[in-house]
């Protein structure tokens, strides 16, 4: 007997062998059959979806769950367009804290909306003896007040209190880590938001590191979240590369650096597992720290790499030799050059054609770089919503020649590169449906078309958030399509993305989300 049979639905299976179905049977959390294979089988529960559209649960291949959860519960200055208004919100947060000497965190900071960066001196006027840490929306910078600057080493660079990349990491290191309990609660808040948008699995894009880590025992916080029932979707954890250390493994292993006990990609189970090694090569476009091969339009610099190119390359090679799948953060085209050079070197030293290395973001990829990515078999894990919400700004700072290369779609697919959809939540909106809409129409929120030739079809965009996401996370045998034997992770939609006008895809209602054959929240 089946546990559940779902009938009277339009299943878009993403499986070319059985692309559309009307019935689906579930037993012990797995799909056991479609249509005639289950039509005559009895079931404990029969769910009539009255013609609704059902897809495999969306997979967000690049998120930050603890950061998202903390952001949802932290004072924000998002939407402020005046310096005085932002400072007033900070002053109110300080007054509510009312514990001089303590840290006060603020999120939602974006200098573009304010017209310029806040300064340490301005924060000093409202700090009342507290240490202020105002996090940039990109996650690649922050503004702090003088009380924090006074604690930093003299050689930590800053611009009137604005710290970028490694300098930001130095400020983060001053703070006591969050407790596992706090991190677990934040993970739970973010996971519930993901489920509401039809996401049933995601890849956490970097734990334990100086830039995005929240505690040196962050993996344990995920275990705690699972034990407490706060992890209602499947999570794969990327480990920050700065957690690796030299090890004295046998020379035949060829492993120069590792986590303790040799833990690497693949450890874990269907609910919580270790995924790729996360390696940062540059910053972000919002903070103007993405590393480009030519300067930003209107600026006298081309961003920055996170470290000396050879140091970055060695981290990539060491991770590859250690048996890891690599998730290399590279937004600018110069950073992509560094990543591709190192990946080529690593594959020469020890060929691993099934490694499925990934470039995270691939924000600006020149035409000459596309064949190199294809030859290496590297996936491009992009964030379409960056251009939907920041596209006007990004196009302006790239200029007319480079703007069409931003967060490509068609260029990747035409070169045989696996195109993977993701959000980088909470940097911007996390809805897969809104991202899918952008991937097709390539229109920013203002209606500006950005690289329209990079637009792809609705089916290709759905593939990026299902089948391709599963492939990028080595989940293709259990997720990404509604195929017998795979996990019964489903999203029920109020309309069919392939049948509505493209401009309406982002507004389609997520009616329900099922994980392991059970409706989330019930």
């Amino acid at each position: 007997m089946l546990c559940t049979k779902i009938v009277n639905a339009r299943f878009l299976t993403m499986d070319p062998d059985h692309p559309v179905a009307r019935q689906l049977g579930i037993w012990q959390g797995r799909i056991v059959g479609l249509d005639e294979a289950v039509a005559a089988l009895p079931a404990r529960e029969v769910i009539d979806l009255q013609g609704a559209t059902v897809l495999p649960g969306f997979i967000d291949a690049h998120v930050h769950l603890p950061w998202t959860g903390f952001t949802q519960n932290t004072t924000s200055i998002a939407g402020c367009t005046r310096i005085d208004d932002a400072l007033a919100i900070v002053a109110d947060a300080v007054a509510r804290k009312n514990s001089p000497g303590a840290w006060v965190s603020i999120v939602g900071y974006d200098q573009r909306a304010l017209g310029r960066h806040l300064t340490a001196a301005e924060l000093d006027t409202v700090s009342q003896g507290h240490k202020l840490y105002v996090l940039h929306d990109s996650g690649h910078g922050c503004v702090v007040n003088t009380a924090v600057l006074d604690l930093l080493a003299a050689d930590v660079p800053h611009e009137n209190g604005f710290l970028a990349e490694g300098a930001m990491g130095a400020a983060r290191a001053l703070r006591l880590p969050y407790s596992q309990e706090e991190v677990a609660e934040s993970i739970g808040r973010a996971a519930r938001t993901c489920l509401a948008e039809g996401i049933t699995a995601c890849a956490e894009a970097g734990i334990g590191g100086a830039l995005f880590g929240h505690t040196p025992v962050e993996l344990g916080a995920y275990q705690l979240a699972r034990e407490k029932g706060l992890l209602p979707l499947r999570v794969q954890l990327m480990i920050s590369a700065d957690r690796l250390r030299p090890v004295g493994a046998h020379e035949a292993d060829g492993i120069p650096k590792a986590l303790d006990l040799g833990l690497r990609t693949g450890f874990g189970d269907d609910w919580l597992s270790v995924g790729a090694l996360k390696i940062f090569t540059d910053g972000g476009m919002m903070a103007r720290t993405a590393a480009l091969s030519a300067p930003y339009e209107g600026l006298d610099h081309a961003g920055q790499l996170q470290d000396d190119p050879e140091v970055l390359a060695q981290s990539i090679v060491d991770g590859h030799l250690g048996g890891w799948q690599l998730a290399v953060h590279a937004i600018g085209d110069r950073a992509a050059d560094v990543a591709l050079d190192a990946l080529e070197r690593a594959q020469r030293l020890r060929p691993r054609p099934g490694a499925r290395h990934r470039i995270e973001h691939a924000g600006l990829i020149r035409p000459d770089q596309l064949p190199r990515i294809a030859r290496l078999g590297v996936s491009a894990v992009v964030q379409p919503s960056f251009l939907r919400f920041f596209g006007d700004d990004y196009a302006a700072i790239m200029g007319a020649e480079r703007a069409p290369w931003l967060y490509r779609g068609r260029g990747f697919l035409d070169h045989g590169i696996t195109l993977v959809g993701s959000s980088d939540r909470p940097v911007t909106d996390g809805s897969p449906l809104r991202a899918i809409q952008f991937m097709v129409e390539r229109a920013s929120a203002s209606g500006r078309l950005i690289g329209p030739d990079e637009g792809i079809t609705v089916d290709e965009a759905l593939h990026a958030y299902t089948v391709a996401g599963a492939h990028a996370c080595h989940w293709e045998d259990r997720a990404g399509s509604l195929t017998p034997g795979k996990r019964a992770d489903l999203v029920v939609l109020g309309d069919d993305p392939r049948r509505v006008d493209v401009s309406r895809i982002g507004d389609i209602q997520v009616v329900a989300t099922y994980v392991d054959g059970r409706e989330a929240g019930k």
Side-chain angles (χ1 to χ4, degrees), residues 136-149:
H136 195 273
D137 270 346
S138 67
H140 288 271
C142 66
V143 183
V144 299
N145 64 338
T146 302
V148 177
L149 293 177

Side-chain angles (χ1 to χ4, degrees), residues 255-522:
I255 301 174
K257 289 185 177 180
L259 290 181
D260 288 343
L261 302 179
L263 188 72
R264 59 172 173 80
T265 303
F267 184 83
D269 59 22
D270 275 0
W271 283 96
L272 183 62
S273 60
V274 174
L277 186 72
K278 179 72 176 293
I279 300 174
F280 286 92
T281 62
D282 69 344
M285 287 188 189
M286 293 170 64
R288 307 321 193 218
T289 54
L292 310 180
S293 56
Y296 291 88
E297 287 288 314
L299 299 177
D300 60 359
H301 69 85
Q304 64 189 77
L305 295 170
Q306 291 281 357
D307 209 326
D308 179 84
E310 181 52 36
V311 172
L312 298 173
Q314 193 60 53
S315 293
I316 290 170
V317 171
D318 287 347
H320 175 86
L321 295 178
W324 288 88
Q325 178 189 24
L326 304 179
V328 185
H329 168 114
I331 293 184
D333 61 326
R334 183 183 176 212
D337 281 334
V338 170
L340 295 172
D341 288 346
L343 289 171
E344 287 176 345
R345 175 173 148 197
Q347 290 285 15
R348 284 195 303 270
L349 289 170
R350 181 176 297 167
R352 288 178 54 211
R356 295 192 200 171
H357 296 322
R358 309 158 36 145
I359 292 184
E360 307 300 302
H361 308 296
L364 187 75
I365 298 297
R366 302 187 310 271
D368 65 285
Q369 293 173 318
L370 292 169
R372 296 186 68 197
I373 297 172
R375 284 196 302 272
L376 285 164
V378 173
S379 298
V381 183
V382 302
Q383 296 75 42
S385 287
F386 279 13
L387 290 193
R388 179 178 171 83
F389 292 96
F390 311 136
D392 293 347
D393 173 61
Y394 284 12
I397 60 173
M398 290 300 110
E401 180 185 8
R402 293 182 293 182
W405 307 341
L406 288 163
Y407 294 92
R408 291 176 179 270
R410 176 57 52 203
F412 289 132
L413 293 180
D414 284 353
H415 282 79
I417 298 164
T418 300
L419 175 65
V420 184
S422 68
S423 68
D424 203 15
R425 183 194 303 268
V427 176
T428 190
D429 180 87
S431 163
L433 286 168
R434 284 191 281 273
I436 286 165
Q437 177 179 324
F438 174 82
M439 295 176 87
V440 179
E441 65 181 5
R442 299 285 299 188
S444 71
S446 72
R448 176 176 180 170
L449 294 180
I450 302 169
D453 290 344
E454 289 292 326
I456 62 177
T457 69
V458 174
D459 280 340
E460 289 167 334
L462 292 172
H463 187 277
Y465 271 92
T466 54
V467 178
H471 180 270
C473 295
H474 290 269
W475 285 335
E476 70 276 8
D477 61 336
R478 54 204 130 141
S481 66
L482 304 182
T483 301
K486 293 190 178 184
R487 303 180 305 213
D489 295 350
L490 326 166
V491 56
V492 182
L493 302 179
D495 218 328
D496 184 342
R498 303 192 306 185
R499 293 186 171 184
V500 303
D501 186 89
V502 172
S503 65
R504 290 182 49 216
I505 292 175
D507 297 323
I508 292 175
Q509 179 187 5
V510 174
V511 177
T513 305
Y514 288 77
V515 182
D516 259 359
R518 294 186 294 272
E519 184 175 355
K522 289 192 176 181

Side-chain angles (χ1 to χ4, degrees), residues 103 120-121 124 127 129-132 143-156 158 160-161 163 167 170-171 174:
W103 288 88
D124 289 344
S127 65
H130 295 73
K131 303 180 187 74
L132 301 186
V143 183
V144 299
N145 64 338
T146 302
V148 177
L149 293 177
D150 287 344
L151 299 175
L152 293 171
D155 60 349
V156 174
H158 70 91
N160 297 320
L163 301 124
L174 294 171

